[in-house]
Amino acid sequence: MLPRHLSRTVNPNGGVVYGRVVEEQFSKDQLLERIVSTENIKLAWKQVRANKGASGIDGVTVEDFPLTFRECWSEIRSAILEGTYIPSPVQRVEIPKSDGSTRPLGIPTVLDRVIQQAIARVLGLMFDPYFSESSCGFRPGRSAHDGVRQIQEYIAQGYKVAVDMDLSKFFDTVNHDVLMHRVSRRVEDKRVLKLIGRYLRAGVMVKGRHLATPLGVPQGGPLSPLLANILLDDLDKELEKRAHHFVRYADDCVPRRRTQRSEMLYIAVCSRAALKMRVGPSEPACRSRFQTTSSCCGKEPWW
């Protein structure tokens, strides 16, 4: 039986909906067959269509996708199962941030968004039940509002000091080997691991140039939030082992303690844990600032 929160199918943050289980039965070594099953692909396509979004490097829009790929889907499915499918590079665009800098966003093709969504649907059922209750970002039935409520509970319990922490350039500096090791803890089908690895290394198109991606998880694809949560779950477990109170939303974290002295110990713990997850960032693994006031926001598929 699925955990209760997996039965909720509304995710206002654009994450993957895991609530329905593929009806066909597959063994552990048939995980890829489950991912590309007719039912799962249909549900993945419905989610991609609902999210809309821009076209990738092939120029195919969500509206054009059914006519473009309906007839050749069986060939694409066969290529995925045979391990010969090569994902397209993502289209990189820069999104302005409030501080004047920009955030790189990768836009996969609609086809790759459907495949990523299908992967995320199945892997989400395998990983999400084991994630920390303090992780609120990009999970079914969870939102920033849940994180705010949890912080308010900590405040009511007397935790008055907060650290607003962000893992610097997290999505840009993820080490692929470290990430894939975490994924392989629950995924036994090596074909699925190979396909995810190809998505990580698909590269980006910047002003017509194809650039390699030896590090990082491109933000913008349906699979990226789940991969981020898989990697950061080790950080959550380390903080829980040390009895810290915290709320994490993707790579942003707000831990709370009763005194500033205990917060400094917390920052040191986070830095060591974050360094284990990635290699070679030029910035410190964590950056933090003390915040003494609470701030809340408070059949084959027919597309």
Side-chain angles (χ1 to χ4, degrees):
M1 179 178 293
L2 291 175
R4 181 179 178 182
H5 70 272
L6 288 184
S7 65
R8 298 169 62 182
T9 58
V10 177
N11 187 356
N13 304 299
V16 178
V17 176
Y18 312 135
R20 292 185 59 185
V21 182
V22 180
E23 295 178 356
E24 299 165 84
Q25 297 298 314
F26 300 98
S27 62
K28 289 184 178 180
D29 59 352
Q30 290 183 310
L31 190 63
L32 189 57
E33 281 80 5
R34 181 180 179 187
I35 288 171
V36 297
S37 66
T38 299
E39 178 70 8
N40 194 50
I41 291 294
K42 281 184 178 180
L43 294 172
W45 160 240
K46 287 182 179 179
Q47 187 66 28
V48 170
R49 183 176 57 189
N51 291 339
K52 299 181 180 179
S55 59
I57 63 170
D58 60 359
V60 176
T61 65
V62 172
E63 292 76 17
D64 296 336
F65 179 75
L67 290 177
T68 305
F69 287 100
R70 181 184 294 128
E71 298 300 327
C72 60
W73 167 249
S74 60
E75 297 177 11
I76 296 171
R77 182 179 184 276
S78 296
I80 294 172
L81 291 172
E82 293 167 5
T84 59
Y85 178 78
I86 305 297
S88 300
V90 301
Q91 181 69 53
R92 174 169 289 179
V93 296
E94 299 290 335
I95 306 299
K97 297 173 63 176
S98 57
D99 61 2
S101 62
T102 60
R103 180 192 303 276
L105 182 70
I107 304 175
T109 63
V110 178
L111 173 61
D112 283 326
R113 294 210 292 272
V114 171
I115 298 171
Q116 285 191 38
Q117 190 86 30
I119 297 172
R121 280 184 50 81
V122 173
L123 264 59
L125 289 169
M126 300 170 61
F127 283 93
D128 194 271
Y130 301 94
F131 287 157
S132 167
E133 290 298 312
S134 296
S135 172
C136 298
F138 304 105
R139 297 180 62 190
R142 293 172 180 263
S143 69
H145 298 289
D146 297 296
V148 170
R149 283 189 286 270
Q150 194 164 339
I151 290 175
Q152 290 174 329
E153 290 179 8
Y154 292 152
I155 295 172
Q157 294 170 17
Y159 294 89
K160 303 299 184 182
V161 179
V163 168
D164 178 11
M165 186 185 74
D166 174 69
L167 297 178
S168 182
K169 298 186 182 300
F170 168 75
F171 284 92
D172 301 331
T173 58
V174 168
N175 182 285
H176 293 169
D177 291 337
V178 174
L179 171 60
M180 292 307 298
H181 174 70
R182 302 298 195 276
V183 176
S184 66
R185 290 173 177 174
R186 298 193 180 278
V187 175
E188 299 180 12
D189 193 329
K190 295 186 183 301
R191 299 170 301 166
V192 176
L193 297 174
K194 181 178 179 181
L195 181 59
I196 295 173
R198 284 185 172 176
Y199 272 113
L200 293 174
R201 298 186 300 272
V204 298
M205 294 296 292
V206 181
K207 297 180 179 179
R209 294 180 57 197
H210 183 201
L211 303 180
T213 49
L215 290 174
V217 177
Q219 292 179 266
L223 189 56
S224 298
L226 176 61
L227 294 178
N229 278 333
I230 291 173
L231 183 59
L232 289 171
D233 188 58
D234 276 16
L235 174 61
D236 296 340
K237 295 300 191 294
E238 179 67 24
L239 299 181
E240 290 174 345
K241 184 174 70 175
R242 295 171 181 261
H244 290 295
H245 295 72
F246 68 98
V247 173
R248 182 176 64 78
Y249 192 94
D251 59 336
D252 295 298
C253 185
V254 183
R256 302 196 71 89
R257 296 293 286 180
R258 296 183 188 276
T259 66
Q260 288 193 358
R261 182 178 179 182
S262 59
E263 284 297 347
M264 296 306 296
L265 175 61
Y266 179 92
I267 294 169
V269 171
C270 288
S271 297
R272 290 195 297 271
L275 281 172
K276 292 180 182 179
M277 296 187 297
R278 57 190 187 178
V279 178
S282 57
E283 294 79 15
C286 303
R287 66 172 183 265
S288 61
R289 64 176 182 271
F290 281 110
Q291 183 176 331
T292 54
T293 58
S294 61
S295 108
C296 297
C297 313
K299 172 185 155 176
E300 296 297 337
W302 296 105
W303 313 106

